[in-house]
Amino acid sequence: VMVTSDHGFYAYGQVLRPGVLLARAGLVTLDRRGRVVAWDAAVLTSGGSAAFVPQVAGDTLVAQRIRRAIPDALVGPGKPIRSVWTPDTLRALESDPRAAWAIVMNEGFYSEPGYDGELLVSRSGGGHGYDPRDRAMRAFFLASGPGVGPATTLPIIQQTDIAPTIARLLGLTLPAASGRPTLLLEVGLP
């Protein structure tokens, strides 16, 4: 038996549309109906975070404009944005390689797509996509049965390791899987 979740979870009461910041900075042009007609940068929202991507990869001038579009007044404790991630942080986290900058939201705040409308709206819900280093974002994993060592505690494992672990316990192979079986398997299993 294996039981797992796919992510942790935070409740939120306010939603930020970071794309509105790009539109206000002239990095995105909208028509009267709010549709994008031209853009130098885009935002990819992921709930608890959002990545800012220049249209032309490596465009340092647009990257500078993106950073200037994120007001420091929105960053800090009790504010929507916990931190602005630099390109170095994004690389270290193996983030989207197209991203020039990213933001991670504070608990209680969430991001959503869109380039028009209000920047910040009140709306309750819950979600994921926050800083992957945050303990609250970790998923749950429990395994029991043949091939599982007794009272085994694992270090942090990747989601991609779960399917290869199940396959190995069942005597199957997954040659295209990017993960690897976890260390919970007893020695001597196939």
Side-chain angles (χ1 to χ4, degrees):
V1 173
M2 289 191 185
V3 178
T4 187
S5 64
D6 62 343
H7 53 74
F9 190 87
Y10 272 143
Y12 61 84
Q14 294 191 57
V15 177
L16 178 82
R17 281 197 188 111
V20 171
L21 297 171
L22 296 181
R24 288 179 180 175
L27 290 159
V28 173
T29 304
L30 306 174
D31 67 12
R32 287 186 216 148
R33 297 171 115 180
R35 294 179 300 197
V36 174
V37 294
W39 63 285
D40 292 319
V43 65
L44 306 172
T45 58
S46 186
S49 60
F52 296 91
V53 179
Q55 183 179 41
V56 176
D59 188 331
T60 56
L61 293 177
V62 168
Q64 291 170 6
R65 289 178 63 203
I66 291 169
R67 180 56 188 100
R68 285 193 304 267
I70 305 166
D72 290 337
L74 292 178
V75 182
K79 297 178 181 180
I81 301 170
R82 184 169 76 186
S83 62
V84 178
W85 286 344
T86 66
D88 289 339
T89 300
L90 294 171
R91 278 191 295 282
L93 292 173
E94 299 178 15
S95 180
D96 188 325
R98 301 170 299 169
W101 298 93
I103 56 174
V104 64
M105 310 304 290
N106 273 311
E107 183 177 350
F109 295 90
Y110 211 56
S111 72
E112 72 177 10
Y115 297 95
D116 65 339
E118 296 294 321
L119 175 64
L120 191 63
V121 295
S122 293
R123 184 174 337 117
S124 296
H128 56 91
Y130 295 83
D131 187 337
R133 300 168 295 188
D134 186 335
R135 292 181 63 84
M137 291 301 107
R138 293 184 183 163
F140 175 81
F141 181 76
L142 173 73
S144 179
V148 177
T152 301
T153 300
L154 296 173
I156 295 173
I157 63 171
Q158 299 297 314
Q159 289 287 340
T160 54
D161 295 340
I162 295 171
T165 299
I166 294 169
R168 189 165 186 195
L169 286 168
L170 295 174
L172 304 171
T173 59
L174 293 174
S178 60
R180 59 179 176 73
T182 68
L183 301 175
L184 69 92
L185 302 176
E186 291 183 36
V187 177
L189 277 176

